[in-house]
Amino acid sequence: KLHPVIKILTTMRLFLPIFILLFSAQVFGQFTTPGTGVRWTLDSIVAYSPETITVSGSNYQLLQGLTIAENDSLLLDQSITLAIGEGIEVAVRGFFASNADAITITSIDSEKPYKGFWFYDTSEGYFNNTLIEYGGGIRVITPLFTMENCEVSNNNNDKGSATGGAVVFSNGSPVIKNSVFRNNVHPALSSGANTSVALQLSDSYFEGNNQKNNNRPQINMGPSGTADSTRIIGNVVIGDRSLTVVGGISVSSLVGVENRFIIKNNLVSDNRYGITTTGNSTGYIIGNIIENNDTETNPLVGGSGISLYSTNMVIITGNQISNNLWGVTLIDKTVANLGSDDADDFNPGGNIFSNNGNGGQIYALYNNTANPVKALHNCWIEGQESAAEEVESVIFHKVDDESLGEVFYDPFDCGITNANHVMALTKLNVF
């Protein structure tokens, strides 16, 4: 027969692991699905773990961390509001879908953002018709990610899941289309300098992102890698003019990773600069309207409609470039083609320039490289049939500085029709 004290100690030893487990659950506030291949909903989590999620009508509150295990899925398939507590993260290792007529994912207290979403490399994510706000962003490691018909706004992710942007990618060819990004504290979309992400972005609207007002653009993509090309097509990127150092679009390679891109048919306005690319980059800038990107207070460090720094060949064609501090600036070892009749590098030109300047001088094209530049069939001064001397006055190149490459701009034309230009564009070999 056990002594009463020994009996008490034995009982404590038997129940101590259970006590520790329960205590840990309370301290760390984390629910992880079992990983048994179950398709979870918010209601099934409420039933299984009521301390994790509470519900009142169509309003749900997530009160502790949630992990969707690798073999499991979580489906938000009804029009609901999911409010998440301060500092709480949803970690997805399996499958996640938010897909109904109208879903809102927000913070319980807008002044106290939730940590955000983290999609691991084993996961797959899909958002549709979803408003995502007042959180810490979405970190996307998986290449299997699609977002459409969504809004991602007012996310403050200094301590969130995605500190580099409202949505941060790490690999693959993620898809974002027909979505809205407004007033996020950091850039709307971004990827790392040493990763390969070929973003497929189309028909989306960006305004006032990077409220932090540091030297990063609203769309801040690193290199695509060799598997695919980054495509940014048919979007609107509007700056907050009080944010003087926030650019529009950057698709760059800063550490040598190969970068291929197509930036086409976008409107980019009221940013520090319009479009820029850097480093081991090859691509096309086609048919964009790039205007009023002049919020930079020092024209020596910004304000270009298009700026290329030490890039490989970039084809620039059919763009309308107006009211920026500079039209197109080519820097360091950049190689660019703004118009050529040669069969091996054909480009119909068709860029239209208007009133890009600073310090009382108009700069349609500034070739700050030693490389020659083909730039035929462009309209260098919109609204007039210019003489060669007038065109020369808005192009800075070998004529102005013997160390620079020559720009070949004749013939030039302000009368090219849109139909003719579209037909000519079909001859371009665009990847």
Side-chain angles (χ1 to χ4, degrees):
K1 188 174 181 179
L2 292 174
H3 189 279
V5 175
I6 297 176
K7 190 173 183 179
I8 292 172
L9 292 174
T10 303
T11 303
M12 288 181 63
R13 185 176 64 182
L14 289 173
F15 284 96
L16 189 58
I18 298 175
F19 172 75
I20 291 174
L21 184 62
L22 292 174
F23 180 74
S24 298
Q26 291 173 353
V27 171
F28 295 105
Q30 177 70 39
F31 172 70
T32 301
T33 65
T36 52
V38 174
R39 179 178 295 182
W40 294 82
T41 66
L42 295 181
D43 287 326
S44 61
I45 296 176
V46 169
Y48 192 85
S49 179
E51 67 275 15
T52 301
I53 296 179
T54 62
V55 59
S56 176
S58 62
N59 297 306
Y60 295 78
Q61 288 193 341
L62 178 60
L63 303 177
Q64 62 181 18
L66 174 62
T67 297
I68 307 305
E70 185 171 343
N71 294 320
D72 292 339
S73 60
L74 173 60
L75 305 179
L76 279 57
D77 56 0
Q78 297 179 338
S79 295
I80 56 94
T81 295
L82 174 61
I84 304 176
E86 180 182 9
I88 290 175
E89 182 176 69
V90 178
V92 182
R93 297 181 181 274
F95 177 78
F96 174 91
S98 177
N99 181 22
D101 289 339
I103 295 172
T104 296
I105 300 175
T106 188
S107 178
I108 291 175
D109 182 344
S110 62
E111 298 296 322
K112 299 177 180 179
Y114 62 97
K115 190 172 183 180
F117 284 77
W118 190 293
F119 286 87
Y120 286 82
D121 56 352
T122 57
S123 71
E124 181 175 353
Y126 178 67
F127 289 90
N128 183 33
N129 296 328
T130 304
L131 168 62
I132 304 160
E133 62 179 5
Y134 299 116
I138 304 173
R139 186 73 170 89
V140 183
I141 309 297
T142 177
L144 304 175
F145 184 87
T146 299
M147 175 182 287
E148 55 186 342
N149 310 310
C150 291
E151 180 173 348
V152 182
S153 295
N154 301 305
N155 291 281
N156 183 351
N157 43 338
D158 278 333
K159 298 180 180 179
S161 301
T163 56
V167 186
V168 178
F169 305 102
S170 287
N171 61 76
S173 300
V175 175
I176 293 185
K177 57 185 178 180
N178 196 34
S179 293
V180 174
F181 297 80
R182 285 193 180 98
N183 302 324
N184 294 289
V185 168
H186 291 299
L189 306 175
S190 69
S191 64
N194 60 348
T195 61
S196 295
V197 178
L199 175 65
Q200 309 298 300
L201 170 63
S202 62
D203 303 315
S204 295
Y205 182 87
F206 299 78
E207 183 176 0
N209 297 287
N210 193 6
Q211 288 286 316
K212 197 95 171 178
N213 195 27
N214 53 25
N215 186 19
R216 291 186 290 176
Q218 297 196 60
I219 301 172
N220 187 29
M221 298 305 298
S224 67
T226 58
D228 200 353
S229 301
T230 293
R231 295 174 177 85
I232 300 176
I233 299 174
N235 306 284
V236 175
V237 184
I238 306 297
D240 177 339
R241 295 192 64 84
S242 69
L243 307 177
T244 58
V245 296
V246 179
I249 301 172
S250 174
V251 180
S252 296
S253 176
L254 301 178
V255 294
V257 180
E258 185 171 341
N259 182 34
R260 301 189 302 171
F261 65 88
I262 300 168
I263 302 175
K264 181 178 179 181
N265 295 345
N266 303 282
L267 168 62
V268 187
S269 180
D270 297 295
N271 302 281
R272 180 194 181 198
Y273 55 80
I275 298 169
T276 189
T277 183
T278 300
N280 185 19
S281 300
T282 304
Y284 296 83
I285 302 175
I286 303 175
N288 303 280
I289 299 173
I290 308 167
E291 61 186 11
N292 303 318
N293 296 288
D294 59 354
T295 64
E296 170 59 61
T297 57
N298 180 2
L300 296 180
V301 295
S304 298
I306 299 173
S307 180
L308 311 181
Y309 185 90
S310 200
T311 64
N312 306 327
M313 177 57 74
V314 176
I315 306 296
I316 301 173
T317 182
N319 302 282
Q320 298 180 46
I321 305 169
S322 60
N323 300 311
N324 309 287
L325 297 182
W326 312 84
V328 175
T329 52
L330 311 178
I331 305 168
D332 197 46
K333 300 176 182 178
T334 288
V335 180
N337 178 345
L338 282 79
S340 171
D341 289 333
D342 298 329
D344 60 342
D345 63 355
F346 173 76
N347 175 359
N351 299 290
I352 300 173
F353 296 84
S354 176
N355 196 36
N356 301 283
N358 65 85
Q361 176 66 43
I362 299 298
Y363 298 100
L365 172 61
Y366 198 113
N367 182 27
N368 198 21
T369 81
N371 298 321
V373 178
K374 296 178 182 180
L376 309 181
H377 306 297
N378 296 294
C379 176
W380 297 100
I381 307 173
E382 186 180 16
Q384 67 178 55
E385 293 291 338
S386 303
E389 295 80 7
E390 294 172 304
V391 173
E392 177 63 49
S393 71
V394 300
I395 297 174
F396 196 91
H397 62 136
K398 188 178 183 67
V399 173
D400 306 284
D401 184 337
E402 277 291 327
S403 68
L404 302 178
E406 184 174 359
V407 175
F408 299 94
Y409 57 80
D410 196 359
F412 44 88
D413 186 3
C414 280
I416 188 169
T417 67
N418 185 61
N420 288 340
H421 183 72
V422 170
M423 289 179 64
L425 286 177
T426 63
K427 300 179 182 179
L428 286 175
N429 183 23
V430 179
F431 45 72

